Amino acid sequence: MANETRTKAVSVAVKFGFSHQDAEDIAQDVMLRLWSLHEQLANAAHLKASATITARHLCIDRWRTTHQHKEIDNAIPIAGEDTPYDRLEYTELEQWLAGQIDHLPSTSATVLRMRQLEHREVGEIADILGIRPGSVSTLLSRARNELLNKLKRRNQQ
């Protein structure tokens, strides 16, 4: 049963796009986790299902951690301010962002300022503006997405 379980875990990892070596590592992790649960596993069908689910979860976890590290490695610190050029670029970006916030609908701009600049809680903003907390979250999300899209367009030019 162990050989079948290991083979199943390897095949799941390969289907997720991992190399054979990484798939073997994931299968080994699956086997260790299943061994810690061996007293709770009822039969062979339960074992295979648990192996498949555990392998899927480990694949997803490994994929997330490797992609987060890649994104972090490619990130450029915005406020490095090491050189006069960096300080100038940061100041220009701040001014541009403030102007873009001013062009947002008034309620969205108010919610964004209260949350991001004043660090107020969603419930507190809802009480001040007399709207539901869900509406505050929606307005905040829309404002952030609009600013993000404008920033992307600006950076493509």
Side-chain angles (χ1 to χ4, degrees), residues 92-110:
E92 286 178 356
L93 180 60
E94 261 184 340
Q95 291 170 350
W96 178 86
L97 191 55
Q100 295 304 312
I101 291 172
D102 291 339
H103 286 85
L104 290 173
S106 62
T107 309
S108 296
T110 303

Side-chain angles (χ1 to χ4, degrees), residues 5 35 45 52 56 67 69 83 89-90 94 98 108 111 113 119 131 140-141 143 148 150 156:
T5 305
W35 177 251
T52 302
R56 284 184 58 221
H67 281 75
H69 292 302
T83 66
E89 188 173 343
Y90 182 71
E94 261 184 340
S108 296
V111 168
R113 283 188 186 104
H119 305 289
I131 58 178
L140 187 60
S141 176
L148 179 63
K150 287 180 179 184
Q156 288 175 352

Side-chain angles (χ1 to χ4, degrees), residues 9-118:
V10 169
S11 70
V12 168
V14 169
K15 286 180 184 176
F16 267 85
F18 288 100
S19 68
H20 189 70
Q21 183 178 3
D22 288 339
E24 288 290 336
D25 291 343
I26 290 170
Q28 182 176 357
D29 290 343
V30 168
M31 297 302 286
L32 287 172
R33 289 187 184 199
L34 291 177
W35 177 251
S36 67
L37 301 172
H38 77 278
E39 293 174 357
Q40 299 170 0
L41 297 173
N43 54 30
H46 190 89
L47 176 66
K48 287 182 184 179
S50 296
T52 302
I53 292 169
T54 305
R56 284 184 58 221
H57 289 201
L58 287 171
C59 288
I60 291 169
D61 287 347
R62 185 168 292 198
W63 185 86
R64 283 181 180 159
T65 57
T66 57
H67 281 75
Q68 283 176 350
H69 292 302
K70 287 179 184 176
E71 290 172 8
I72 290 171
D73 291 343
N74 294 333
I76 300 171
I78 232 177
E81 296 189 17
D82 294 330
T83 66
Y85 176 78
D86 291 337
R87 285 192 297 273
L88 176 64
E89 188 173 343
Y90 182 71
T91 303
E92 286 178 356
L93 180 60
E94 261 184 340
Q95 291 170 350
W96 178 86
L97 191 55
Q100 295 304 312
I101 291 172
D102 291 339
H103 286 85
L104 290 173
S106 62
T107 309
S108 296
T110 303
V111 168
L112 186 67
R113 283 188 186 104
M114 291 174 85
R115 181 71 176 134
Q116 297 301 130
L117 301 177
E118 298 173 14

